[in-house]
């Protein structure tokens, strides 16, 4: 297998572990990612669509499904009533915090078979990749991922 193949299978491992945790919380991976993105503070819908790599209409449909579960709610921005803000409801915030804590605890399990030095190297490289990606831009993500915060698919 070449490098691209290895990255593909690494992605599969991460997605599989993430989906397993999502299922335990009765969330789809998309709902879980959305909740994690807004768990600390409301975000503009347009900004969320860009940072999650989703079309605006796809995000609206995801928000509709998640709002029916009373986990998120929309509100107009105090600065500009045309801007729609998305925030977690109290129930959504509790669920997002519990889910995120579990992801932070269990996602590193994908490297459990590496020795301690390789685990540190893996963490260093993963951190460098995330920190140099557009995900860590303050305008696209108010809480940039760090080595303690896994990037959610």
């Amino acid at each position: 297998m070449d490098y691209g193949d290895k990255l593909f299978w690494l992605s599969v491992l991460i997605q599989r572990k993430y989906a397993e945790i999502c299922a335990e919380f009765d969330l789809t991976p998309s709902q879980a990612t959305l909740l994690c993105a807004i768990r600390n503070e409301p975000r503009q819908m347009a900004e969320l669509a860009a940072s999650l790599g989703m079309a605006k209409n796809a995000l609206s449909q995801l928000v509709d499904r998640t709002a029916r579960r009373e986990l998120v709610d929309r509100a107009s921005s105090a600065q500009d009533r045309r801007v729609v803000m998305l925030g977690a409801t109290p129930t959504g915030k509790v669920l997002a915090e519990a889910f995120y804590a579990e992801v932070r605890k269990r996602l590193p399990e994908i490297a459990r078979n590496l020795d301690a030095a390789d685990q540190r190297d893996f963490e260093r490289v993963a951190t460098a990749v995330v920190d140099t990606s557009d995900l860590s831009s303050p305008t696209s993500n108010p809480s940039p991922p760090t080595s303690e915060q896994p990037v959610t698919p």
Side-chain angles (χ1 to χ4, degrees):
M1 276 195 249
D2 70 8
Y3 182 59
D5 289 332
K6 297 292 185 184
L7 289 175
F8 168 78
W9 288 110
L10 176 60
S11 173
V12 169
L13 287 171
I14 292 169
Q15 290 176 61
R16 186 172 30 186
K17 177 64 74 176
Y18 188 73
E20 176 185 302
I21 300 166
C22 290
E24 292 171 14
F25 282 81
D26 193 28
L27 293 167
T28 67
S30 295
Q31 288 171 331
T33 300
L34 177 64
L35 283 174
C36 286
I38 62 171
R39 76 185 193 288
N40 292 327
E41 64 185 11
R43 306 256 315 263
Q44 290 183 15
M45 290 278 289
E47 176 189 304
L48 271 171
S51 66
L52 297 176
M54 298 179 77
K56 289 178 185 177
N57 65 338
L59 177 60
S60 288
Q61 292 172 3
L62 173 60
V63 168
D64 289 343
R65 290 189 305 274
T66 311
R68 281 194 290 275
R69 294 187 57 192
E70 299 180 356
L71 300 175
V72 299
D73 54 18
R74 294 178 175 102
S76 295
S77 167
Q79 293 81 19
D80 184 346
R81 296 189 54 79
R82 296 171 295 176
V83 174
V84 177
M85 302 295 292
L86 185 70
T89 64
T91 301
K93 180 147 180 66
V94 169
L95 181 61
E97 292 295 341
F99 172 80
Y100 195 74
E102 194 67 15
V103 167
R104 287 186 63 192
K105 182 176 92 178
R106 291 179 40 202
L107 202 53
E109 291 174 2
I110 64 166
R112 72 181 172 273
N113 293 328
L114 300 177
D115 65 33
D118 285 344
Q119 286 183 21
R120 285 189 302 276
D121 287 345
F122 187 74
E123 179 181 358
R124 180 185 51 76
V125 171
T127 299
V129 168
V130 170
D131 288 350
T132 59
S133 73
D134 60 351
L135 291 173
S136 60
S137 167
T139 58
S140 67
N141 188 347
S143 303
T146 67
S147 61
E148 296 180 12
Q149 296 175 315
V151 176
T152 52

